[in-house]
Amino acid sequence: MTNNNLRTLRWLTYMMFLMFAMTTDAVGVIIPELMAKFDLSMTQAGMIHYGPMLAIALAGLGLGFLADRFGRKLTVMLGLGLFALVSYAFIWGDDFYYFLSLMMVSGVAIGVFKTAALALIGDISRSTKEHTTTVNGVEAFFGVGAIIGPLIVTTLLAAGIDWKWLYFIAGNLCICLILLASRVQYPHAKLSETKEQGSFIQTLALARNPYAFSFSVGAFLYVATESAIYVWMPTYLLGYDGSFLLLATYALTLFFVLRALGRFLGMWLLERVSWSMVMMLCSGLIALCFVTSIVVGKSIALVLLPLTGLFMSVIYPTLNSKGISCFRKNQHGSVAGVILFFTAAGAAAGPLTMGVVSDAFGGDAVYGFMVATVFAVLLFLGLLYNWLKAPVDEHLRAMDSELDV
């Protein structure tokens, strides 16, 4: 396996994450359009976010083993092919439930190729530390996609063009990735030797493993907190009429920019500072920003909530990487599926709970953000314990030899 080929594989994973982030993280600017066009409540409109997240969760848990059983290349191409077909189908409909159905099928596709991509990262990483750095790089490009997607939608709407053409653009990019995935050489990876090892049964067994479960719960709490920003922050700030209206208008874009920049910075930082200390400090700052925003109100929230993007940047990729690195290579697809299940469950349950609570209190999004604050505090407490007790460090050192390329 040449260095040039390894570089191509890394760029393939980078661009896969960028592409699907363009669609999943654009919902914050799509939701107001749907609410106005179809006369939806916050809970109903939120279905276009937590519906696909539920599909990603079920695909991760139910289909994560495909990369271990049939190989990374086949699984990547299967997921990308389905995603491309669904993306083009958006052009032909104009009904809320039609869009919701397509978004849920796209969630299945994401669950398939994302778990394969994460397993592929394990194949090309030589240590758990390098794995964490690479996953932070992948998530940095996800952050770039999360900036591009809302920007494209905003530009389309300003020009009088429907938001659904975002998916046509994503579909074209997906076709390019399919061509790249079909031509690049993949490293030899030891596949699951039996049907039981590479199966849904193995995935369920891994979900009961304390390492997989602990990191998965951390991912759930993190994403439930993060999704509060990109799903409901634009709605929460709609009524702001103070002196910093321009900042309120671009708050979501600022959040995504800071999150992307933070992930590139995180690649450098995690090479030099203990990952558990970084995680503890960043989660503490996130919790502080949420608490202060609730107590003081929108005048400070329009600054602090976007600022959380900088502190959130390293948490999810590091949780994901350390959780996957606790297992052997031929289990990476399955364990990535378990973590993805909890990730997507958090992305679905968090905004759904916020929407329900907000609707129950007259549609004021501040009550939903109180729920998100609870998630943020729980995440900090868990990562504080991890920093104090270091329950997985010895196991990660033992697993380093398993990641030799």
Side-chain angles (χ1 to χ4, degrees), residues 83-389:
F83 188 88
L85 287 174
V86 171
S87 295
Y88 290 130
F90 271 86
I91 304 305
W92 309 114
D94 194 27
D95 176 79
F96 174 70
Y97 290 101
Y98 175 79
F99 293 144
L100 176 61
S101 299
L102 291 179
M103 288 180 177
M104 293 188 71
V105 177
S106 74
V108 174
I110 291 169
V112 171
F113 72 70
K114 183 177 179 180
T115 52
L118 290 169
L120 178 60
I121 291 171
D123 296 340
I124 62 177
S125 298
R126 291 163 293 191
S127 69
T128 58
K129 191 171 186 177
E130 182 180 326
H131 190 280
T132 300
T133 301
T134 303
V135 173
N136 269 274
V138 165
E139 292 290 346
F141 278 86
F142 178 94
V144 173
I147 297 169
I148 295 173
L151 182 60
I152 290 174
V153 173
T154 302
T155 303
L156 290 172
L157 294 175
I161 303 172
D162 205 309
W163 58 268
K164 63 186 180 182
W165 286 91
L166 167 71
Y167 282 84
F168 181 80
I169 296 170
N172 289 337
L173 178 56
C174 191
I175 293 297
C176 295
L177 294 179
I178 291 172
L179 292 175
L180 179 60
S182 67
R183 294 175 181 274
V184 69
Q185 180 185 353
Y186 291 71
H188 174 74
K190 182 181 178 182
L191 302 182
S192 299
E193 297 174 351
T194 68
K195 291 183 179 180
E196 288 74 20
Q197 288 179 323
S199 68
F200 180 56
I201 295 174
Q202 176 190 264
T203 305
L204 290 179
L206 285 174
R208 296 192 295 269
N209 180 283
Y211 295 120
F213 182 74
S214 298
F215 282 105
S216 294
V217 170
F220 177 95
L221 292 173
Y222 165 76
V223 177
T225 304
E226 180 199 48
S227 59
I229 303 293
Y230 65 79
V231 176
W232 292 126
M233 184 177 67
T235 305
Y236 173 51
L237 296 178
L238 276 178
Y240 177 77
D241 58 358
S243 303
F244 301 99
L245 191 58
L246 185 64
L247 179 58
T249 302
Y250 290 98
L252 185 59
T253 300
L254 179 60
F255 168 79
F256 286 138
V257 168
L258 290 175
R259 190 180 65 174
L261 291 175
R263 282 176 176 164
F264 285 109
L265 176 63
M267 296 171 66
W268 175 86
L269 185 63
L270 289 167
E271 289 282 347
R272 294 161 175 80
V273 183
S274 162
W275 71 273
S276 56
M277 177 179 289
V278 172
M279 300 279 275
M280 181 273 296
L281 291 174
C282 287
S283 62
L285 289 169
I286 292 167
L288 180 62
C289 286
F290 269 79
V291 170
T292 305
S293 295
I294 294 298
V295 173
V296 178
K298 293 181 182 179
S299 60
I300 194 68
L302 62 88
V303 175
L304 293 184
L305 291 181
L307 184 61
T308 59
L310 186 62
F311 309 132
M312 289 182 181
S313 57
V314 298
I315 292 181
Y316 179 71
T318 305
L319 284 172
N320 206 7
S321 171
K322 298 304 181 185
I324 293 171
S325 296
C326 285
F327 298 87
R328 293 184 173 87
K329 283 186 178 183
N330 64 351
Q331 296 177 304
H332 279 192
S334 296
V335 72
V338 172
I339 297 174
L340 181 58
F341 172 81
F342 281 86
T343 297
L352 173 60
T353 306
M354 291 179 64
V356 170
V357 170
S358 296
D359 284 341
F361 286 90
D364 190 341
V366 68
Y367 295 102
F369 271 91
M370 291 179 184
V371 176
T373 302
V374 173
F375 291 138
V377 171
L378 290 175
L379 176 66
F380 167 64
L381 293 176
L383 292 175
L384 176 63
Y385 173 83
N386 177 69
W387 176 62
L388 292 173
K389 300 295 184 180

